[in-house]
Amino acid sequence: MFCIDNRCTDIYFNLAAEEYLLKQKRGNFFMLWQSEPSVVIGKHQSVAAEADERFLDEKGITLARRFSGGGAVYHDRGNINLSFIETRKQPDFEYYLQLVVDFLEKVGITAYADQRLGIYVDEQKISGSAQCIHKDRVMYHCTLLFSTDLDMLNAALNGDPDAESRLPGSRTMRAVPSVRSEVANIKEFLSGPMDVKRFMHLLFHSFVDDDDNRIYRFSAGDMEAIERLKAEKYACKEWIYHKSALTFT
């Protein structure tokens, strides 16, 4: 597996990088990344139902739509994102989830998963995930709340549940609502002090130190293709507001 320590914090670039790795590359990848404050909604969700856009504008929080399904999430520099992208004949998303749970066990946190592939500690959610399949390629990505501003998270994800039930441009496709859960930060469950940088270092090296894995850095060609996808899709209002999202592949 190729391991990418992606230091870019531009949510549009990072979402484009995931899709690029999924659709244009053939290797198996693990990517660790963060974003500046952002709300990221699932491919088939309504912006109005999931996010308080006035609050986002006031606080300078970026709004984005990802390629995969699932519910809305909040990113900041206290949140960590993990992406697993591989070629597989039979998807096994629980395998990737278990890799994350096993790492948490290594740092002294006993966590468990639910049927939606969320990860919990003491009945509080610390991780949400989403998945997608493209031909024989699969992607599983998840968040890990380490020291996120939970007040900002709750305010940003305070959309109108009575907003439009169908996606713009579709007479039949209904917007997928998020399933709300009580959330908590991993930092609160650690037995000793640790900052997010140290936690990420341990997390990344838990994969890199495997004999079968090695570090991968984006080439100039990779960067050009990702930036093009960012500009043509992820940073476009047509995609974010689903005005033409059904036409994007």
Side-chain angles (χ1 to χ4, degrees):
M1 179 185 290
F2 295 111
C3 299
I4 303 173
D5 184 5
N6 178 10
R7 301 298 179 89
C8 179
T9 58
D10 178 345
I11 184 60
Y12 299 137
F13 176 92
N14 293 331
L15 294 175
E18 286 188 318
E19 184 175 338
Y20 171 75
L21 294 172
L22 178 71
K23 293 184 175 181
Q24 305 301 326
K25 306 293 277 189
R26 293 302 300 168
N28 296 336
F29 292 90
F30 164 69
M31 184 169 70
L32 186 69
W33 53 283
Q34 290 184 294
S35 293
E36 296 301 327
S38 313
V39 166
V40 185
I41 65 174
K43 184 175 183 179
H44 301 301
Q45 290 197 294
S46 158
V47 171
E50 301 300 330
D52 183 339
E53 288 193 84
R54 180 176 297 179
F55 180 81
L56 268 56
D57 289 341
E58 290 175 355
K59 299 299 182 180
I61 298 171
T62 303
L63 177 65
R65 184 185 296 275
R66 63 179 180 268
F67 180 69
S68 62
V73 293
Y74 174 77
H75 292 186
D76 63 11
R77 295 299 291 272
N79 173 67
I80 302 162
N81 301 284
L82 297 79
S83 305
F84 297 91
I85 301 166
E86 296 189 342
T87 299
R88 278 180 172 259
K89 292 182 179 179
Q90 294 294 330
D92 182 5
F93 297 119
E94 292 184 0
Y95 166 76
Y96 306 109
L97 182 146
Q98 192 60 48
L99 291 176
V100 180
V101 170
D102 289 346
F103 168 76
L104 292 171
E105 187 71 31
K106 292 178 182 178
V107 296
I109 295 177
T110 300
Y112 61 92
D114 68 356
Q115 291 182 338
R116 295 179 180 274
L117 303 186
I119 300 176
Y120 294 77
V121 179
D122 294 342
E123 299 184 359
Q124 295 174 294
K125 191 172 185 178
I126 60 169
S127 173
S129 69
Q131 310 81 37
C132 66
I133 300 172
H134 176 72
K135 299 180 181 178
D136 62 345
R137 300 279 284 168
V138 300
M139 178 171 72
Y140 168 94
H141 51 184
C142 69
T143 59
L144 281 177
L145 297 173
F146 183 84
S147 55
T148 288
D149 186 329
L150 299 182
D151 290 334
M152 290 285 282
L153 179 153
N154 287 319
L157 297 179
N158 186 30
D160 178 5
D162 296 323
E164 68 268 21
S165 60
R166 288 186 174 84
L167 294 175
S170 173
R171 296 181 178 179
T172 59
M173 185 174 290
R174 301 186 67 85
V176 177
S178 294
V179 178
R180 305 297 179 184
S181 301
E182 183 180 355
V183 296
N185 280 313
I186 290 170
K187 187 176 181 179
E188 304 303 318
F189 302 106
L190 293 170
S191 59
M194 183 185 300
D195 63 19
V196 67
K197 290 184 178 179
R198 176 59 179 168
F199 184 85
M200 291 179 68
H201 175 83
L202 294 174
L203 177 55
F204 187 70
H205 281 274
S206 72
F207 290 97
V208 172
D209 292 344
D210 188 307
D211 291 339
D212 294 329
N213 297 343
R214 62 183 186 271
I215 291 175
Y216 182 90
R217 293 181 175 85
F218 289 127
S219 67
D222 292 334
M223 293 293 291
E224 181 180 356
I226 293 168
E227 288 287 357
R228 186 184 312 115
L229 184 58
K230 166 192 164 180
E232 294 177 354
K233 180 174 181 179
Y234 286 99
C236 293
K237 288 187 177 181
E238 289 79 8
W239 168 257
I240 296 168
Y241 287 92
H242 220 297
K243 295 176 181 177
S244 302
L246 296 177
T247 67
F248 284 89
T249 58

